[in-house]
């Protein structure tokens, strides 16, 4: 499987998890999010990527080998009438011994009651800690260390907005 397909698959799985969490188990996600009618696709992407980098900045500088933020993401439906989220991905590559559990705990503590955000500590499938930061209009970020503790992956989902007519929902953006 190519790395691009793997990223899309991870985003799809994480999106399903976010949708499930945000809808409270509703079977119909058409009314899952409150759409930010004033948000443009450009602003949705910029805001979401800025938060990815803000989360990456929580990693101590001496523990960072590099940060790789994807320039292109995909759109995910979040309601009827072309309601969409921009989904992105950033990887923080670590060097040396990094206390990834402490980094995740710090992210949760920083955003747990940092209006308009909230955050919870979750456990990933492999048992590692994961920070789930939630923002307005269904926005969310998942910050999870890799199983070998050499990377921290940040998956992002913008606030829900209306996709303009000149952009197809399957476009990469």
């Amino acid at each position: 499987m190519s790395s691009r397909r793997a990223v899309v698959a991870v985003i799809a799985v994480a999106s399903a998890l976010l949708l499930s969490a945000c809808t409270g188990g509703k079977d119909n996600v058409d009314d899952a999010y409150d759409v930010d009618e004033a948000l443009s696709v450009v602003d949705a992407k910029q805001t979401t990527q800025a938060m990815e980098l803000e989360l990456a900045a929580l990693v101590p500088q001496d523990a960072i080998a590099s940060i790789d933020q994807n320039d292109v993401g995909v759109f995910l439906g979040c309601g009827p009438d072309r309601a969409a989220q921009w989904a992105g991905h950033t990887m923080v590559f670590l060097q040396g011994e990094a206390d990834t559990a402490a980094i995740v705990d710090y992210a949760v503590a920083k955003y747990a009651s940092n209006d308009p955000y909230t955050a919870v500590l979750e456990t990933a499938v492999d048992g590692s800690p994961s920070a789930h930061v939630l923002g307005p209009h269904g926005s969310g970020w998942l910050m999870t260390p890799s199983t070998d503790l050499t990377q921290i992956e940040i998956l992002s989902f913008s606030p829900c907005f209306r996709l303009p007519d000149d952009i197809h929902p399957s476009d990469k953006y």
Side-chain angles (χ1 to χ4, degrees), residues 51-152:
M51 180 60 136
E52 288 175 6
L53 295 178
E54 193 172 309
L55 288 167
L58 299 179
V59 178
Q61 285 297 309
D62 62 344
I64 298 174
S66 65
I67 297 173
D68 182 13
Q69 185 176 54
N70 284 4
D71 292 331
V72 177
V74 297
F75 296 111
L76 304 171
C78 59
D81 302 323
R82 300 180 57 82
Q85 289 178 293
W86 182 86
H89 183 247
T90 292
M91 292 295 291
V92 180
F93 295 93
L94 304 172
Q95 63 185 5
E97 295 290 320
D99 187 349
T100 56
I103 293 166
V104 167
D105 286 343
Y106 180 58
V108 170
K110 180 171 175 66
Y111 292 99
S113 58
N114 185 353
D115 194 38
Y117 302 101
T118 187
V120 294
L121 181 64
E122 296 182 348
T123 303
V125 174
D126 67 359
S128 63
S130 180
H132 188 175
V133 179
L134 298 168
H137 302 284
S139 58
W141 296 262
L142 296 170
M143 183 179 190
T144 307
S146 62
T147 55
D148 64 1
L149 305 179
T150 61
Q151 307 164 32
I152 295 178

Side-chain angles (χ1 to χ4, degrees), residues 9-68:
V10 167
I11 288 173
V13 168
S15 175
L17 291 172
L18 277 173
L19 285 173
S20 173
C22 293
T23 63
K26 292 179 187 174
D27 291 330
N28 182 1
V29 295
D30 284 347
D31 57 356
Y33 299 118
D34 176 31
V35 176
D36 183 344
E37 300 291 350
L39 189 64
S40 72
V41 65
V42 171
D43 290 339
K45 179 179 178 178
Q46 287 175 346
T47 300
T48 306
Q49 286 188 308
M51 180 60 136
E52 288 175 6
L53 295 178
E54 193 172 309
L55 288 167
L58 299 179
V59 178
Q61 285 297 309
D62 62 344
I64 298 174
S66 65
I67 297 173
D68 182 13

